[in-house]
Amino acid sequence: MPRSVDFDALRSGPHSTLHVLPLEALPASLKRTAEVTQRCKLPPDPEPVIYVEFKMKKVLLAATISSLFAVAAHAQSSVTLYGVIDAGVVYANNSHTPGSASSGQSWGVGSGNVSDTLWGLKGSEDLGGGMHAIFKLEDGFNVNNGAFSQSNEIFGRQAYVGLQSNQYGTVTLGKQYDSTVDYLAPLSEAGQGLGNNLAAHPFDNDNLDNSFSISNSVKFASIDYAGFKFGGLYGFSNKAGAFSDNRAYSAGASYSNGPLSFAASYLQINNPGQGDNANGAVSGANNTSTFVAARQRTFGGGVNYAFGPATVGFVYTHTKLDGLDAINMNDGYTALSGNSLRLDNYEVNTRYALTPAMSLEGAYTFTNGSFNTAAGDAKPKYHQFSLLADYDLSKRTDVYAEGVFQHASGGDGTALGDAAINGLSPSTTDKQVAVTVGMRHRF
């Protein structure tokens, strides 16, 4: 019997799918006595028969192994289906649908009153050396009728692909959320945990409630450096000859050390929602942009502190809009032409676990605004209170009850003088109360 085998010759013969077992897959006893010759590359899919050649001092061994690589291949990649379904009965004491003559008390079944209703697919493939290929496809929908939250967009929330390094961080490309959502929002009442849509700041002017994501974007997110993380995003306009027309960029960072957490972020969008570039970073074509303006700039910071079963937090954000044309109020744009609008939001929030299954959450937000127009200036102000009680029926299912009150003033006859709780039709007066009882299921 020959002491070695010419695998290159065998590949052209009847055994045209020969592969060699990697050295790291061998038992320790064989590694000490074997010199492994690997002359055939392992293809992407394992074959049922694998030939292994060992140049040993006394014996030539040929083995057939099939299940080993099959198991390893399954361990190297995964695809996960996930989602949240949130539905409940909502009462508002005063509401008015923009463009409609009807107004007054409102009763109905709401979708995503507290958490966005969504489903998605996410996956990862191990490329070796601490590298992974990743992707995410995520869509929001209305549980009442099954319609897309963003019309004509099957994955209107997120759709991206990228590379993840265990040593450096993650780079992704596609439609994804900005740094305000990633770093600062988790410290706010609207963005923490599964979210609290009704508790968002007026019009979600700072995007802490992730009302929109950024198209055509490239994003970097660092690994966790002993509690410190940072990242940034750039959303291209994708318009020839107009590099800055409807582009976006943001950056953020967070730090956690025991009970204490800090975060800060910045976001700027040029021409959000403008009709001359519907394929830009933040489009108004599907009512996804919060504002239609020449420029939006938002920055802020926050801190949370946990002690025992309680957590208290403070978040400040500043949003400045230049060349304002309209505001998105419950998926409908209301014209509001002005030179500029400034909104400063001051939020205090708290969470307390009464039992392992039941918790209470509350927040108060004061929003101080300044609206500059050719006819003069207005000073809109908003006081908002929210209280949420949540009870876990299981690890994936819970029921909740929430009440929200908002009082607006200083709008000087504009739409800014009417109360408008996020996610509901705006009030026809300066006050609005909303109460909801519902349930959520996560899968």
Side-chain angles (χ1 to χ4, degrees):
M1 180 180 293
R3 297 180 58 86
S4 63
V5 178
D6 189 345
F7 272 48
D8 293 330
L10 287 175
R11 291 186 65 185
S12 61
H15 302 290
S16 59
T17 58
L18 288 171
H19 315 301
V20 176
L21 184 68
L23 181 60
E24 57 267 23
L26 298 178
S29 60
L30 289 180
K31 289 181 181 179
R32 290 192 297 267
T33 58
E35 177 185 357
V36 179
T37 302
Q38 298 190 22
R39 300 180 184 175
C40 303
K41 294 183 179 180
L42 182 67
D45 298 319
E47 298 292 337
V49 177
I50 302 173
Y51 290 85
V52 184
E53 177 191 17
F54 301 93
K55 285 185 177 180
M56 308 177 70
K57 293 181 179 180
K58 295 183 178 180
V59 65
L60 173 65
L61 175 65
T64 302
I65 304 173
S66 59
S67 60
L68 179 61
F69 281 115
V71 173
H74 285 291
Q76 291 175 355
S77 62
S78 65
V79 176
T80 302
L81 171 68
Y82 68 93
V84 180
I85 300 176
D86 181 334
V89 177
V90 185
Y91 164 79
N93 71 325
N94 196 330
S95 62
H96 169 72
T97 303
S100 171
S102 62
S103 63
Q105 294 185 350
S106 173
W107 286 90
V109 175
S111 175
N113 303 315
V114 175
S115 300
D116 293 338
T117 295
L118 58 93
W119 75 278
L121 295 168
K122 59 183 177 180
S124 174
E125 180 188 11
D126 190 348
L127 303 177
M131 293 290 294
H132 304 265
I134 61 171
F135 77 89
K136 178 177 281 190
L137 303 171
E138 186 176 281
D139 171 54
F141 65 96
N142 188 321
V143 72
N144 294 336
N145 54 23
F148 293 134
S149 294
Q150 296 83 23
S151 58
N152 302 320
E153 293 184 3
I154 188 171
F155 297 115
R157 290 173 60 88
Q158 299 186 83
Y160 63 77
V161 65
L163 291 175
Q164 182 181 68
S165 166
N166 295 341
Q167 184 177 2
Y168 301 107
T170 304
V171 176
T172 48
L173 302 93
K175 184 179 181 69
Q176 47 204 325
Y177 288 112
D178 65 89
S179 300
T180 296
V181 176
D182 291 342
Y183 299 97
L184 182 57
L187 302 187
S188 71
E189 177 65 13
Q192 65 85 28
L194 285 172
N196 191 342
N197 293 335
L198 295 178
H201 302 160
F203 322 113
D204 192 25
N205 64 83
D206 44 22
N207 204 36
L208 294 183
D209 196 40
N210 56 273
S211 291
F212 61 86
S213 51
I214 310 295
S215 300
N216 320 321
S217 62
V218 179
K219 181 162 75 170
F220 170 77
S222 76
I223 62 172
D224 190 323
Y225 295 99
F228 177 71
K229 297 183 291 184
F230 64 92
L233 172 146
Y234 188 91
F236 289 85
S237 71
N238 274 19
K239 184 177 181 180
F243 185 78
S244 63
D245 184 9
N246 200 341
R247 67 173 177 176
Y249 49 90
S250 68
S254 65
Y255 176 73
S256 295
N257 185 359
L260 194 61
S261 299
F262 296 94
S265 66
Y266 177 80
L267 167 66
Q268 178 167 325
I269 313 169
N270 292 350
N271 302 319
Q274 298 283 10
D276 58 345
N277 186 11
N279 296 319
V282 181
S283 173
N286 290 317
N287 292 331
T288 54
S289 64
T290 304
F291 301 100
V292 178
R295 182 172 62 178
Q296 175 180 346
R297 289 172 289 176
T298 297
F299 63 82
V303 57
N304 272 192
Y305 185 80
F307 51 98
T311 301
V312 294
F314 172 77
V315 174
Y316 165 75
T317 59
H318 169 90
T319 294
K320 176 71 179 297
L321 296 147
D322 300 314
L324 179 64
D325 289 329
I327 295 180
N328 190 346
M329 295 183 175
N330 194 29
D331 293 332
Y333 286 100
T334 297
L336 193 66
S337 297
N339 297 328
S340 65
L341 172 64
R342 187 206 73 230
L343 295 168
D344 291 290
N345 307 282
Y346 305 86
E347 176 191 313
V348 178
N349 59 64
T350 182
R351 293 179 286 280
Y352 187 83
L354 295 173
T355 70
M358 186 171 184
S359 63
L360 294 176
E361 301 177 14
Y364 164 70
T365 298
F366 171 63
T367 300
N368 187 29
S370 177
F371 183 43
N372 177 262
T373 69
D377 295 341
K379 301 294 183 182
K381 293 177 173 59
Y382 305 87
H383 297 272
Q384 180 171 287
F385 300 85
S386 66
L387 180 63
L388 170 70
D390 184 84
Y391 184 78
D392 293 330
L393 300 175
S394 69
K395 291 183 178 180
R396 298 190 300 169
T397 304
D398 63 311
V399 291
Y400 60 81
E402 182 174 22
V404 182
F405 169 74
Q406 186 184 108
H407 177 217
S409 63
D412 289 350
T414 69
L416 296 174
D418 298 329
I421 294 174
N422 187 60
L424 303 180
S425 297
S427 174
T428 55
T429 70
D430 60 356
K431 297 181 180 66
Q432 190 172 41
V433 174
V435 177
T436 181
V437 177
M439 70 175 292
R440 290 180 291 193
H441 178 74
R442 299 163 285 269
F443 60 90

